[in-house]
Amino acid sequence: MAGTKTIDADVAIVGCGVAGLYCALNLPHALRVVLLAKTTVDECDSMLAQGGICVLHDPDDYESFFEDTLRAGHYENRLESVDMMIRASRPIIDDLIKRGVRFARTATGELDYTREGAHSRPRIVYHEDITGEEITTHLLACVRELPNATVFENTCMTDILEGFDADGRRVCRGIVAEDAGGAHLQVNADATVLATGGVGGLYKHSTNYPCLTGDGCRVAAEHGVLLEHMDFVQIHPTTLWTQKPGRSFLISESARGEGAILLNDAHERFCDELQPRDVVSGNILREMRREGAEHVWLSFERVPREELEHHFTHICEQCREEGYDIFSEPIPVVPAQHYFMGGIHVNSDSETTLPHLFAAGETCCNGVHGRNRLASNSLLEGLVFAQRAADKIMRDRFAADTAAQLAVAASERSRFVAGSRDVTDVALLCGAE
Ligand code: SIN
């Protein structure tokens, strides 16, 4: 392409949310990694996640964590994916802590656990009401220190590149992108990971950044890559009602987990606040319709003042800026688009149906969430399956290197061994399993 800057890399990662960053961090330093952020690196939804990140509380929690995830997802989840996510959760949290991520602690220094809707027990670790920012900022700092990774901001993927492998199969060969000044970039890469986030930018009322417009899904669809459950869109029950335009401000579900209650105009409770999100959103919208109201109310009167001050600091601040004092009055809340459970179909190694093309995070569908995601499973799912993508890229690379070495060995040996030999024969000759 004329006037196009071309970079040769081993892995191209599109998106700098937790999925993209964690994939980069789990790749060996020997691989050259290029990451793209469509706008600035802070404009990703991972930064906005408030409530926390789920973790298997203890081995006895496995069954109920599994069941809670399935019940929220209407039992349309992929069981294998749910199992992988839950089993990987504790090592992931340990790794985040090693990387410097701070989670709330009890007075005795143990991890503190909060609760959100549809969780049968507290199993969510958190950092104030800005858990996503805490995790993403640390991962970003770690990526910035990688000797093998380069981050391009304000660079939007416009397409993926296709080619053919040695067996004549169509494969992904990297991406093309455009920066804010209109300059073109081509990244040739053996593996490409789409971690482009969700679709909230396509909605009038969403908690997502407007730049999140489903780019990964669009490009995948244009290349005939399988998409799945494109109608599985989650509406979060509580965002701060406002007449101002722009992104809807989330009022974390952990507020209800810690005792906040929903009220109608007559200041009566009208639903169980700790049901799954789709159920609570449905109840709110019905109540609004019944009353002809533009919102309902969320009251913090049952949440201890200390909890409000220390756990919900940023929500308190944002409400104060909008003219509400959550210590003394209910705030107006309304449901808004929040999350996308469908997306690019991937297997449990985050591979799409186009070889060498992976997808992780909100842009993909690995089936963990079923029809409706359980609160605080998103950061965890993004991290677990980004790590699995990195592991698979590494295994493929090792297999390719081994195959190349074996091919060299084969040609060497063919001087001594009569007849042609394929890699398997040579592997046997070399004593490989
Ligand atoms: C919330 O804090 O309610 C949002 C976190 C999530 O989407 O799980």
Side-chain angles (χ1 to χ4, degrees), residues 110-121:
E110 308 298 317
L111 282 172
D112 195 16
Y113 297 88
T114 187
R115 187 177 172 188
E116 295 185 52
H119 282 273
S120 52
R121 61 172 299 174

Side-chain angles (χ1 to χ4, degrees), residues 87-397:
R87 288 183 196 284
S89 64
R90 185 58 68 174
I92 290 276
I93 297 300
D94 291 345
D95 184 50
L96 293 178
I97 293 170
K98 272 196 215 119
R99 292 181 190 275
V101 175
R102 297 159 300 166
F103 292 113
R105 301 274 173 177
T106 63
T108 52
E110 308 298 317
L111 282 172
D112 195 16
Y113 297 88
T114 187
R115 187 177 172 188
E116 295 185 52
H119 282 273
S120 52
R121 61 172 299 174
R123 63 165 72 86
I124 300 164
V125 290
Y126 64 99
H127 176 84
E128 299 171 8
D129 51 2
I130 48 165
T131 310
E133 187 181 317
E134 174 70 11
I135 295 174
T136 315
T137 307
H138 276 85
L139 295 185
L140 189 56
C142 295
V143 165
R144 294 266 193 222
E145 282 175 15
L146 288 178
N148 58 318
T150 313
V151 179
F152 290 90
E153 293 188 73
N154 297 302
T155 304
C156 178
M157 171 194 62
T158 51
D159 204 354
I160 54 174
L161 297 164
E162 276 200 37
F164 294 93
D165 69 4
D167 301 323
R169 284 184 316 169
R170 275 176 58 220
V171 295
C172 182
R173 285 278 177 241
I175 52 114
V176 284
E178 197 175 311
D179 75 13
H184 294 273
L185 175 70
Q186 173 168 328
V187 184
N188 300 322
D190 190 47
T192 299
V193 183
L194 299 179
T196 52
V199 297
L202 302 172
Y203 286 75
K204 186 170 174 202
H205 297 292
S206 172
T207 59
N208 296 184
Y209 278 113
C211 63
L212 296 167
T213 50
D215 299 355
C217 293
R218 175 187 61 76
V219 164
E222 284 167 4
H223 286 261
V225 178
L226 185 65
L227 306 181
E228 196 178 354
H229 297 314
M230 297 301 282
D231 56 334
F232 283 9
V233 174
Q234 182 170 77
I235 308 298
H236 195 287
T238 52
T239 68
L240 190 61
W241 177 84
T242 176
Q243 281 177 319
K244 293 184 195 154
R247 194 166 62 73
S248 304
F249 181 75
L250 186 69
I251 304 293
S252 176
E253 189 160 339
S254 49
R256 280 174 283 126
E258 297 292 345
I261 52 169
L262 288 163
L263 302 171
N264 61 18
D265 269 346
H267 281 224
E268 298 157 340
R269 280 177 88 176
F270 56 88
C271 71
D272 172 357
E273 293 83 357
L274 293 182
Q275 285 297 306
R277 285 183 181 165
D278 52 349
V279 176
V280 179
S281 290
N283 284 328
I284 294 176
L285 291 170
R286 259 189 303 282
E287 194 63 13
M288 283 166 52
R289 227 171 287 131
R290 197 184 66 75
E291 293 195 309
E294 290 192 352
H295 57 76
V296 294
W297 301 94
L298 186 69
S299 165
F300 293 85
E301 68 196 34
R302 299 178 181 198
V303 185
R305 190 175 179 97
E306 199 188 295
E307 185 74 23
L308 282 180
E309 280 168 354
H310 295 114
H311 189 159
F312 300 112
T313 327
H314 299 86
I315 290 178
C316 289
E317 266 169 35
Q318 180 73 22
C319 289
R320 198 172 303 120
E321 276 172 32
E322 292 274 338
Y324 305 107
D325 175 10
I326 71 172
F327 295 95
S328 62
E329 60 184 343
I331 57 168
V333 290
V334 66
Q337 193 279 343
H338 180 60
Y339 192 80
F340 179 44
M341 282 80 51
I344 305 170
H345 169 88
V346 289
N347 65 15
S348 57
D349 285 324
S350 304
E351 292 174 294
T352 72
T353 52
L354 180 64
H356 297 222
L357 180 68
F358 296 76
E362 197 173 342
T363 202
C364 81
C365 180
N366 52 38
V368 160
H369 308 304
R371 179 178 282 277
N372 175 58
R373 175 170 65 76
L374 180 69
S376 286
N377 264 350
S378 58
L379 292 170
L380 179 61
E381 178 254 313
L383 293 166
V384 169
F385 288 90
Q387 187 177 56
R388 294 188 69 87
D391 289 351
K392 182 68 170 83
I393 291 168
M394 239 170 358
R395 287 203 303 278
D396 287 350
R397 184 72 186 214

